[in-house]
mmCIF file of all heavy atoms in Angstrom:
data_model
loop_
_atom_site.group_PDB
_atom_site.id
_atom_site.type_symbol
_atom_site.label_atom_id
_atom_site.label_comp_id
_atom_site.label_asym_id
_atom_site.label_seq_id
_atom_site.Cartn_x
_atom_site.Cartn_y
_atom_site.Cartn_z
ATOM 1 N N THR A 17 -44.252 71.769 99.740
ATOM 2 C CA THR A 17 -44.328 71.340 98.301
ATOM 3 C C THR A 17 -45.749 71.561 97.839
ATOM 4 O O THR A 17 -46.691 71.598 98.582
ATOM 5 C CB THR A 17 -43.988 69.827 98.189
ATOM 6 O OG1 THR A 17 -44.896 69.051 98.874
ATOM 7 C CG2 THR A 17 -42.632 69.601 98.614
ATOM 8 N N CYS A 18 -45.721 71.816 96.485
ATOM 9 C CA CYS A 18 -47.021 71.789 95.812
ATOM 10 C C CYS A 18 -46.812 71.630 94.362
ATOM 11 O O CYS A 18 -45.675 71.653 93.886
ATOM 12 C CB CYS A 18 -47.777 73.287 95.980
ATOM 13 S SG CYS A 18 -47.012 74.654 95.113
ATOM 14 N N GLU A 19 -47.920 71.222 93.616
ATOM 15 C CA GLU A 19 -47.938 70.953 92.211
ATOM 16 C C GLU A 19 -48.823 71.992 91.510
ATOM 17 O O GLU A 19 -50.059 72.128 91.732
ATOM 18 C CB GLU A 19 -48.382 69.551 91.896
ATOM 19 C CG GLU A 19 -47.494 68.450 92.417
ATOM 20 C CD GLU A 19 -46.391 68.104 91.517
ATOM 21 O OE1 GLU A 19 -46.410 68.546 90.393
ATOM 22 O OE2 GLU A 19 -45.439 67.436 91.989
ATOM 23 N N LEU A 20 -48.176 72.742 90.617
ATOM 24 C CA LEU A 20 -49.013 73.759 89.859
ATOM 25 C C LEU A 20 -49.658 73.015 88.734
ATOM 26 O O LEU A 20 -48.959 72.465 87.967
ATOM 27 C CB LEU A 20 -48.063 74.833 89.293
ATOM 28 C CG LEU A 20 -47.207 75.612 90.321
ATOM 29 C CD1 LEU A 20 -46.445 76.672 89.622
ATOM 30 C CD2 LEU A 20 -48.014 76.087 91.485
ATOM 31 N N GLU A 21 -50.988 73.146 88.584
ATOM 32 C CA GLU A 21 -51.767 72.428 87.487
ATOM 33 C C GLU A 21 -51.711 73.331 86.248
ATOM 34 O O GLU A 21 -52.537 74.143 85.938
ATOM 35 C CB GLU A 21 -53.168 72.327 87.887
ATOM 36 C CG GLU A 21 -53.305 71.391 89.181
ATOM 37 C CD GLU A 21 -52.966 69.866 88.957
ATOM 38 O OE1 GLU A 21 -52.969 69.480 87.718
ATOM 39 O OE2 GLU A 21 -52.807 69.227 89.938
ATOM 40 N N VAL A 22 -50.696 73.157 85.523
ATOM 41 C CA VAL A 22 -50.320 74.059 84.384
ATOM 42 C C VAL A 22 -51.034 73.583 83.046
ATOM 43 O O VAL A 22 -50.907 74.297 82.074
ATOM 44 C CB VAL A 22 -48.835 74.219 84.185
ATOM 45 C CG1 VAL A 22 -48.214 74.727 85.476
ATOM 46 C CG2 VAL A 22 -48.170 72.878 83.808
ATOM 47 N N GLY A 23 -51.468 72.339 83.043
ATOM 48 C CA GLY A 23 -52.036 71.802 81.821
ATOM 49 C C GLY A 23 -51.136 71.819 80.626
ATOM 50 O O GLY A 23 -50.045 71.279 80.797
ATOM 51 N N ASP A 24 -51.586 72.255 79.445
ATOM 52 C CA ASP A 24 -50.589 72.362 78.256
ATOM 53 C C ASP A 24 -49.873 73.607 78.097
ATOM 54 O O ASP A 24 -49.273 73.840 77.021
ATOM 55 C CB ASP A 24 -51.543 71.955 77.013
ATOM 56 C CG ASP A 24 -52.166 70.591 77.097
ATOM 57 O OD1 ASP A 24 -51.389 69.715 77.569
ATOM 58 O OD2 ASP A 24 -53.320 70.444 76.615
ATOM 59 N N ALA A 25 -49.857 74.471 79.089
ATOM 60 C CA ALA A 25 -49.129 75.711 79.007
ATOM 61 C C ALA A 25 -47.826 75.532 78.548
ATOM 62 O O ALA A 25 -47.059 74.560 79.004
ATOM 63 C CB ALA A 25 -49.210 76.494 80.304
ATOM 64 N N PHE A 26 -47.258 76.368 77.669
ATOM 65 C CA PHE A 26 -45.860 76.341 77.181
ATOM 66 C C PHE A 26 -44.877 76.889 78.298
ATOM 67 O O PHE A 26 -43.841 76.363 78.559
ATOM 68 C CB PHE A 26 -45.660 77.085 75.904
ATOM 69 C CG PHE A 26 -44.216 77.031 75.300
ATOM 70 C CD1 PHE A 26 -43.693 75.921 74.831
ATOM 71 C CD2 PHE A 26 -43.424 78.180 75.536
ATOM 72 C CE1 PHE A 26 -42.449 75.918 74.342
ATOM 73 C CE2 PHE A 26 -42.168 78.132 75.023
ATOM 74 C CZ PHE A 26 -41.573 76.936 74.472
ATOM 75 N N ARG A 27 -45.287 77.987 78.910
ATOM 76 C CA ARG A 27 -44.436 78.667 79.892
ATOM 77 C C ARG A 27 -45.278 79.175 81.060
ATOM 78 O O ARG A 27 -46.363 79.704 80.918
ATOM 79 C CB ARG A 27 -43.755 79.797 79.214
ATOM 80 C CG ARG A 27 -42.685 80.545 80.059
ATOM 81 C CD ARG A 27 -41.977 81.714 79.241
ATOM 82 N NE ARG A 27 -40.827 82.252 80.025
ATOM 83 C CZ ARG A 27 -41.018 83.211 80.863
ATOM 84 N NH1 ARG A 27 -42.191 83.592 81.386
ATOM 85 N NH2 ARG A 27 -39.847 83.678 81.500
ATOM 86 N N VAL A 28 -44.686 78.917 82.221
ATOM 87 C CA VAL A 28 -45.329 79.302 83.488
ATOM 88 C C VAL A 28 -44.348 80.238 84.301
ATOM 89 O O VAL A 28 -43.146 79.865 84.429
ATOM 90 C CB VAL A 28 -45.697 78.111 84.313
ATOM 91 C CG1 VAL A 28 -46.352 78.572 85.723
ATOM 92 C CG2 VAL A 28 -46.753 77.233 83.599
ATOM 93 N N GLU A 29 -44.891 81.270 84.769
ATOM 94 C CA GLU A 29 -44.035 82.225 85.592
ATOM 95 C C GLU A 29 -44.703 82.285 87.035
ATOM 96 O O GLU A 29 -45.964 82.309 87.114
ATOM 97 C CB GLU A 29 -44.062 83.604 84.965
ATOM 98 C CG GLU A 29 -43.090 84.616 85.516
ATOM 99 C CD GLU A 29 -42.993 85.933 84.711
ATOM 100 O OE1 GLU A 29 -43.631 85.946 83.611
ATOM 101 O OE2 GLU A 29 -42.389 86.841 85.247
ATOM 102 N N TYR A 30 -43.800 82.261 88.082
ATOM 103 C CA TYR A 30 -44.366 82.234 89.425
ATOM 104 C C TYR A 30 -43.450 82.845 90.434
ATOM 105 O O TYR A 30 -42.294 83.080 90.229
ATOM 106 C CB TYR A 30 -44.676 80.809 89.751
ATOM 107 C CG TYR A 30 -43.521 79.900 89.771
ATOM 108 C CD1 TYR A 30 -42.833 79.515 90.946
ATOM 109 C CD2 TYR A 30 -43.116 79.189 88.662
ATOM 110 C CE1 TYR A 30 -41.785 78.632 90.973
ATOM 111 C CE2 TYR A 30 -42.043 78.327 88.636
ATOM 112 C CZ TYR A 30 -41.413 78.077 89.904
ATOM 113 O OH TYR A 30 -40.404 77.225 89.855
ATOM 114 N N ALA A 31 -44.081 83.203 91.529
ATOM 115 C CA ALA A 31 -43.420 83.670 92.768
ATOM 116 C C ALA A 31 -43.926 82.875 93.985
ATOM 117 O O ALA A 31 -45.150 82.602 94.099
ATOM 118 C CB ALA A 31 -43.512 85.201 92.885
ATOM 119 N N ILE A 32 -43.122 82.759 94.976
ATOM 120 C CA ILE A 32 -43.428 81.972 96.172
ATOM 121 C C ILE A 32 -43.556 82.981 97.416
ATOM 122 O O ILE A 32 -42.761 83.948 97.517
ATOM 123 C CB ILE A 32 -42.336 81.011 96.484
ATOM 124 C CG1 ILE A 32 -42.109 80.050 95.281
ATOM 125 C CG2 ILE A 32 -42.668 80.102 97.725
ATOM 126 C CD1 ILE A 32 -40.791 79.259 95.347
ATOM 127 N N PHE A 33 -44.579 82.741 98.186
ATOM 128 C CA PHE A 33 -44.780 83.531 99.403
ATOM 129 C C PHE A 33 -44.958 82.778 100.692
ATOM 130 O O PHE A 33 -45.332 81.515 100.544
ATOM 131 C CB PHE A 33 -46.023 84.512 99.199
ATOM 132 C CG PHE A 33 -47.267 83.822 99.133
ATOM 133 C CD1 PHE A 33 -48.079 83.483 100.357
ATOM 134 C CD2 PHE A 33 -47.933 83.409 97.929
ATOM 135 C CE1 PHE A 33 -49.191 82.854 100.406
ATOM 136 C CE2 PHE A 33 -49.068 82.828 97.983
ATOM 137 C CZ PHE A 33 -49.788 82.555 99.164
ATOM 138 N N ALA A 34 -44.620 83.340 101.752
ATOM 139 C CA ALA A 34 -44.972 82.778 103.071
ATOM 140 C C ALA A 34 -45.622 83.815 103.980
ATOM 141 O O ALA A 34 -44.991 84.949 104.009
ATOM 142 C CB ALA A 34 -43.693 82.240 103.672
ATOM 143 N N ASP A 35 -46.697 83.549 104.620
ATOM 144 C CA ASP A 35 -47.329 84.548 105.461
ATOM 145 C C ASP A 35 -46.804 84.256 106.865
ATOM 146 O O ASP A 35 -46.920 83.183 107.422
ATOM 147 C CB ASP A 35 -48.868 84.297 105.414
ATOM 148 C CG ASP A 35 -49.462 84.796 104.062
ATOM 149 O OD1 ASP A 35 -48.846 85.772 103.553
ATOM 150 O OD2 ASP A 35 -50.489 84.189 103.691
ATOM 151 N N THR A 36 -46.220 85.375 107.462
ATOM 152 C CA THR A 36 -45.609 85.239 108.794
ATOM 153 C C THR A 36 -46.310 86.362 109.723
ATOM 154 O O THR A 36 -46.963 87.214 109.232
ATOM 155 C CB THR A 36 -44.110 85.512 108.735
ATOM 156 O OG1 THR A 36 -43.834 86.933 108.471
ATOM 157 C CG2 THR A 36 -43.481 84.695 107.606
ATOM 158 N N PRO A 37 -46.097 86.275 110.933
ATOM 159 C CA PRO A 37 -46.634 87.332 111.909
ATOM 160 C C PRO A 37 -46.151 88.688 111.510
ATOM 161 O O PRO A 37 -46.873 89.698 111.847
ATOM 162 C CB PRO A 37 -46.062 86.847 113.258
ATOM 163 C CG PRO A 37 -45.857 85.296 113.234
ATOM 164 C CD PRO A 37 -45.412 85.128 111.692
ATOM 165 N N GLU A 38 -44.966 88.828 110.906
ATOM 166 C CA GLU A 38 -44.452 90.190 110.582
ATOM 167 C C GLU A 38 -44.859 90.564 109.157
ATOM 168 O O GLU A 38 -44.561 91.667 108.638
ATOM 169 C CB GLU A 38 -42.924 90.163 110.613
ATOM 170 C CG GLU A 38 -42.417 90.239 111.964
ATOM 171 C CD GLU A 38 -42.517 88.860 112.726
ATOM 172 O OE1 GLU A 38 -42.468 87.812 112.018
ATOM 173 O OE2 GLU A 38 -42.728 88.919 113.947
ATOM 174 N N GLY A 39 -45.666 89.622 108.389
ATOM 175 C CA GLY A 39 -46.176 90.009 107.136
ATOM 176 C C GLY A 39 -45.732 88.984 106.187
ATOM 177 O O GLY A 39 -45.169 88.030 106.480
ATOM 178 N N ARG A 40 -45.996 89.304 104.921
ATOM 179 C CA ARG A 40 -45.737 88.314 103.772
ATOM 180 C C ARG A 40 -44.227 88.473 103.304
ATOM 181 O O ARG A 40 -43.883 89.579 102.975
ATOM 182 C CB ARG A 40 -46.695 88.454 102.738
ATOM 183 C CG ARG A 40 -46.570 87.653 101.400
ATOM 184 C CD ARG A 40 -47.730 87.621 100.494
ATOM 185 N NE ARG A 40 -48.867 86.888 101.082
ATOM 186 C CZ ARG A 40 -49.897 86.492 100.309
ATOM 187 N NH1 ARG A 40 -50.118 86.915 99.141
ATOM 188 N NH2 ARG A 40 -50.885 85.856 100.854
ATOM 189 N N ILE A 41 -43.525 87.447 103.204
ATOM 190 C CA ILE A 41 -42.282 87.423 102.555
ATOM 191 C C ILE A 41 -42.316 86.593 101.299
ATOM 192 O O ILE A 41 -43.079 85.705 101.092
ATOM 193 C CB ILE A 41 -41.214 86.811 103.449
ATOM 194 C CG1 ILE A 41 -41.516 85.313 103.860
ATOM 195 C CG2 ILE A 41 -41.045 87.618 104.759
ATOM 196 C CD1 ILE A 41 -40.480 84.720 104.692
ATOM 197 N N TRP A 42 -41.322 87.013 100.409
ATOM 198 C CA TRP A 42 -41.438 86.465 98.929
ATOM 199 C C TRP A 42 -40.032 85.863 98.543
ATOM 200 O O TRP A 42 -38.976 86.327 99.029
ATOM 201 C CB TRP A 42 -41.771 87.565 97.956
ATOM 202 C CG TRP A 42 -43.206 88.203 98.108
ATOM 203 C CD1 TRP A 42 -43.658 89.143 98.935
ATOM 204 C CD2 TRP A 42 -44.275 87.656 97.327
ATOM 205 N NE1 TRP A 42 -45.029 89.274 98.611
ATOM 206 C CE2 TRP A 42 -45.403 88.393 97.734
ATOM 207 C CE3 TRP A 42 -44.414 86.621 96.434
ATOM 208 C CZ2 TRP A 42 -46.640 88.150 97.157
ATOM 209 C CZ3 TRP A 42 -45.670 86.319 95.912
ATOM 210 C CH2 TRP A 42 -46.827 87.158 96.262
ATOM 211 N N ASP A 43 -40.174 84.924 97.672
ATOM 212 C CA ASP A 43 -39.012 84.528 96.880
ATOM 213 C C ASP A 43 -39.551 84.594 95.391
ATOM 214 O O ASP A 43 -40.223 83.747 94.973
ATOM 215 C CB ASP A 43 -38.624 82.980 97.147
ATOM 216 C CG ASP A 43 -37.447 82.548 96.268
ATOM 217 O OD1 ASP A 43 -37.095 83.273 95.367
ATOM 218 O OD2 ASP A 43 -36.985 81.365 96.482
ATOM 219 N N ASN A 44 -39.118 85.698 94.789
ATOM 220 C CA ASN A 44 -39.532 85.869 93.377
ATOM 221 C C ASN A 44 -38.285 85.988 92.396
ATOM 222 O O ASN A 44 -38.252 86.734 91.437
ATOM 223 C CB ASN A 44 -40.372 87.137 93.280
ATOM 224 C CG ASN A 44 -39.611 88.360 93.680
ATOM 225 O OD1 ASN A 44 -38.432 88.324 94.117
ATOM 226 N ND2 ASN A 44 -40.278 89.525 93.739
ATOM 227 N N ASN A 45 -37.332 85.136 92.734
ATOM 228 C CA ASN A 45 -36.054 85.169 92.005
ATOM 229 C C ASN A 45 -35.459 86.596 91.883
ATOM 230 O O ASN A 45 -35.028 86.858 90.728
ATOM 231 C CB ASN A 45 -36.411 84.557 90.601
ATOM 232 C CG ASN A 45 -35.040 84.062 89.888
ATOM 233 O OD1 ASN A 45 -34.097 83.781 90.438
ATOM 234 N ND2 ASN A 45 -35.060 84.188 88.575
ATOM 235 N N PHE A 46 -35.425 87.193 93.005
ATOM 236 C CA PHE A 46 -34.705 88.546 93.075
ATOM 237 C C PHE A 46 -35.334 89.566 92.061
ATOM 238 O O PHE A 46 -34.726 90.315 91.510
ATOM 239 C CB PHE A 46 -33.211 88.465 92.853
ATOM 240 C CG PHE A 46 -32.613 87.523 93.758
ATOM 241 C CD1 PHE A 46 -32.469 86.120 93.419
ATOM 242 C CD2 PHE A 46 -32.284 87.848 95.105
ATOM 243 C CE1 PHE A 46 -31.871 85.224 94.325
ATOM 244 C CE2 PHE A 46 -31.767 86.952 95.975
ATOM 245 C CZ PHE A 46 -31.451 85.650 95.650
ATOM 246 N N GLY A 47 -36.718 89.487 92.013
ATOM 247 C CA GLY A 47 -37.510 90.469 91.182
ATOM 248 C C GLY A 47 -37.785 90.129 89.743
ATOM 249 O O GLY A 47 -38.510 90.792 89.175
ATOM 250 N N SER A 48 -37.195 89.044 89.259
ATOM 251 C CA SER A 48 -37.497 88.562 87.876
ATOM 252 C C SER A 48 -38.341 87.389 87.805
ATOM 253 O O SER A 48 -38.630 86.906 86.648
ATOM 254 C CB SER A 48 -36.058 88.242 87.221
ATOM 255 O OG SER A 48 -35.361 87.251 87.851
ATOM 256 N N ASN A 49 -38.955 86.778 88.899
ATOM 257 C CA ASN A 49 -39.828 85.719 88.961
ATOM 258 C C ASN A 49 -39.187 84.432 88.590
ATOM 259 O O ASN A 49 -38.273 84.425 87.666
ATOM 260 C CB ASN A 49 -41.034 86.002 88.202
ATOM 261 C CG ASN A 49 -42.002 86.959 88.848
ATOM 262 O OD1 ASN A 49 -42.003 87.198 90.103
ATOM 263 N ND2 ASN A 49 -42.782 87.675 88.033
ATOM 264 N N HIS A 50 -39.610 83.319 89.013
ATOM 265 C CA HIS A 50 -39.159 82.029 88.540
ATOM 266 C C HIS A 50 -40.001 81.591 87.348
ATOM 267 O O HIS A 50 -41.216 82.196 87.226
ATOM 268 C CB HIS A 50 -39.513 80.946 89.649
ATOM 269 C CG HIS A 50 -38.637 81.211 90.921
ATOM 270 N ND1 HIS A 50 -37.332 80.978 90.938
ATOM 271 C CD2 HIS A 50 -39.096 81.677 92.170
ATOM 272 C CE1 HIS A 50 -36.912 81.263 92.283
ATOM 273 N NE2 HIS A 50 -37.989 81.757 92.984
ATOM 274 N N HIS A 51 -39.553 80.702 86.581
ATOM 275 C CA HIS A 51 -40.339 80.361 85.424
ATOM 276 C C HIS A 51 -40.043 78.870 85.087
ATOM 277 O O HIS A 51 -38.966 78.342 85.430
ATOM 278 C CB HIS A 51 -40.060 81.177 84.144
ATOM 279 C CG HIS A 51 -38.718 80.993 83.504
ATOM 280 N ND1 HIS A 51 -37.680 81.694 83.920
ATOM 281 C CD2 HIS A 51 -38.361 80.134 82.640
ATOM 282 C CE1 HIS A 51 -36.563 81.387 83.168
ATOM 283 N NE2 HIS A 51 -36.980 80.374 82.466
ATOM 284 N N CYS A 52 -40.903 78.244 84.424
ATOM 285 C CA CYS A 52 -40.787 76.825 83.913
ATOM 286 C C CYS A 52 -41.483 76.701 82.615
ATOM 287 O O CYS A 52 -42.581 77.273 82.443
ATOM 288 C CB CYS A 52 -41.358 75.942 85.005
ATOM 289 S SG CYS A 52 -41.030 74.129 84.680
ATOM 290 N N ARG A 53 -40.838 76.122 81.608
ATOM 291 C CA ARG A 53 -41.458 76.069 80.372
ATOM 292 C C ARG A 53 -41.159 74.743 79.681
ATOM 293 O O ARG A 53 -40.245 74.048 80.071
ATOM 294 C CB ARG A 53 -40.901 77.217 79.351
ATOM 295 C CG ARG A 53 -39.479 77.084 79.122
ATOM 296 C CD ARG A 53 -39.079 78.170 78.118
ATOM 297 N NE ARG A 53 -37.730 78.352 77.673
ATOM 298 C CZ ARG A 53 -37.076 77.608 76.708
ATOM 299 N NH1 ARG A 53 -37.861 76.805 76.060
ATOM 300 N NH2 ARG A 53 -35.816 77.771 76.448
ATOM 301 N N ARG A 54 -41.813 74.460 78.498
ATOM 302 C CA ARG A 54 -41.635 73.294 77.728
ATOM 303 C C ARG A 54 -40.341 73.362 76.914
ATOM 304 O O ARG A 54 -39.804 74.508 76.753
ATOM 305 C CB ARG A 54 -42.731 73.085 76.777
ATOM 306 C CG ARG A 54 -44.151 73.160 77.354
ATOM 307 C CD ARG A 54 -44.456 71.865 78.008
ATOM 308 N NE ARG A 54 -45.724 71.875 78.586
ATOM 309 C CZ ARG A 54 -46.306 70.936 79.509
ATOM 310 N NH1 ARG A 54 -45.521 69.870 79.799
ATOM 311 N NH2 ARG A 54 -47.474 71.124 79.960
ATOM 312 N N HIS A 55 -39.831 72.270 76.501
ATOM 313 C CA HIS A 55 -38.704 72.216 75.677
ATOM 314 C C HIS A 55 -39.020 72.887 74.320
ATOM 315 O O HIS A 55 -40.108 72.523 73.749
ATOM 316 C CB HIS A 55 -38.164 70.929 75.441
ATOM 317 C CG HIS A 55 -37.385 70.408 76.681
ATOM 318 N ND1 HIS A 55 -35.968 70.623 76.864
ATOM 319 C CD2 HIS A 55 -37.744 69.629 77.724
ATOM 320 C CE1 HIS A 55 -35.658 70.064 78.014
ATOM 321 N NE2 HIS A 55 -36.668 69.482 78.553
ATOM 322 N N SER A 56 -38.304 73.645 73.745
ATOM 323 C CA SER A 56 -38.407 74.114 72.413
ATOM 324 C C SER A 56 -38.202 73.024 71.461
ATOM 325 O O SER A 56 -37.483 71.969 71.715
ATOM 326 C CB SER A 56 -37.574 75.319 72.003
ATOM 327 O OG SER A 56 -37.868 76.358 73.045
ATOM 328 N N LEU A 57 -38.663 73.212 70.157
ATOM 329 C CA LEU A 57 -38.400 72.255 69.092
ATOM 330 C C LEU A 57 -36.892 72.153 68.867
ATOM 331 O O LEU A 57 -36.221 73.218 68.712
ATOM 332 C CB LEU A 57 -39.159 72.616 67.822
ATOM 333 C CG LEU A 57 -39.008 71.622 66.628
ATOM 334 C CD1 LEU A 57 -39.734 70.396 66.933
ATOM 335 C CD2 LEU A 57 -39.468 72.317 65.246
#
């Protein structure tokens, strides 16, 4: 787990990685990245 210190940002885009002996593996929402944003008005 971790907490991204996003402050007052309206939208955050991110990808997750893990470093393994065979190299870095990713979860990037199948190429479109994960995102988290504020509620719109």
